[in-house]
Amino acid sequence: MNLASKLGVAALAAALTAGLTVPAATAGNAPVERKAAYKPTLKASAKSVEAGKKLVLSGKVKPATKGATVIVQRKLAGKPWVKTGKTAVKKSGAFTFTDKPNVPGVRQYRVVVPKVGKVKAGKSKPVKVTVLTWRALSTLPFRQQESTRILTNASIAGTSYSGSIGPIPGAAEGTADWNIPTTCTSLRVRLGNGDQTDVGAQANITLDGGPGQFVHTGSYGLGKSELKTFDVSNVLRLTFTWTSTVGASPVPAAGAQPLLAQPELLCSTP
């Protein structure tokens, strides 16, 4: 074989090799086909809600598929995810769901959109909501107390209030305090002078939330009261101080019935 022939064979072999390797490299870099998946979002109407009250969950699903089902799930601390309910997706991809949670504590919600056609299932990121419930202050132990007790049948102007806190018989002044759990956010209470008060006796009450917190003072005649709500989110020590006075004299004298009538705390623990 002469030199020209050898060169021709070598060129042909090189061309064949190049032709075989180029498609292989192209095939290896070909993009992988991916199927779409639902991407739902979720938000809650409030970060905290009172037990038994409405909580609205809303969001949007992409891609929008009218009539697609959104499954709402909840998760309590230490528990698995469970189904709460379901709702339909609108043409725009939006959805809403109303829940009425009744178990106090921190919970999470999320939504799951099942597969429809070629669109894969998807789920949202969870959102946290704290559920609060009212509990009687009388269920907390006194840290200390003097001439003060829990009353089962106290009344003001003929209306009875359970779990009230007031004086022992014959006392002219006294005090009590409590350590408030960090899970509590509000205190509601009727402050006043109970129906066991002598005519002309005055109930003088101070409710103190501690340094940097609220201090409320009030004086009440027979049958008089006021309903108050206090923020106790940052209250460690709640102190109730009271005196009974008669007539214009500021000197404590037995006769009045200063009351914390049916005091209740709003807490995330029962």
Side-chain angles (χ1 to χ4, degrees), residues 102-221:
N102 53 24
V103 178
V106 178
R107 61 175 54 200
Q108 296 184 74
Y109 286 98
R110 73 179 182 188
V111 293
V112 176
V113 186
K115 176 182 178 182
V116 176
K118 293 184 178 180
V119 185
K120 292 183 178 180
K123 61 185 177 183
S124 70
K125 292 181 179 180
V127 295
K128 287 185 178 181
V129 175
T130 302
V131 180
L132 306 165
T133 188
W134 290 102
R135 59 178 293 188
L137 177 63
S138 59
T139 62
L140 292 182
F142 291 117
R143 187 192 72 92
Q144 66 176 16
Q145 57 83 25
E146 181 179 336
S147 301
T148 305
R149 62 175 181 166
I150 297 171
L151 306 172
T152 58
N153 60 350
S155 63
I156 300 176
T159 300
S160 296
Y161 298 94
S162 61
S164 296
I165 298 164
I168 63 173
E173 57 186 331
T175 186
D177 65 26
W178 303 262
N179 288 332
I180 303 300
T182 57
T183 57
C184 300
T185 61
S186 297
L187 167 71
R188 67 182 180 191
V189 57
R190 182 169 291 279
L191 305 149
N193 200 351
D195 290 344
Q196 297 304 312
T197 296
D198 295 338
V199 174
Q202 192 93 348
N204 310 294
I205 294 173
T206 298
L207 200 58
D208 188 347
Q213 305 303 313
F214 64 86
V215 178
H216 174 82
T217 60
S219 294
Y220 310 91

Side-chain angles (χ1 to χ4, degrees), residues 35-70:
K35 294 183 179 179
Y38 285 117
K39 294 181 179 180
T41 60
L42 181 66
K43 63 180 181 180
S45 58
K47 292 183 179 179
S48 62
V49 62
E50 187 178 331
K53 298 294 181 68
K54 289 183 179 181
L55 174 71
V56 179
L57 301 169
S58 61
K60 202 162 188 178
V61 175
K62 293 182 179 181
T65 305
K66 183 180 179 180
T69 299
V70 170

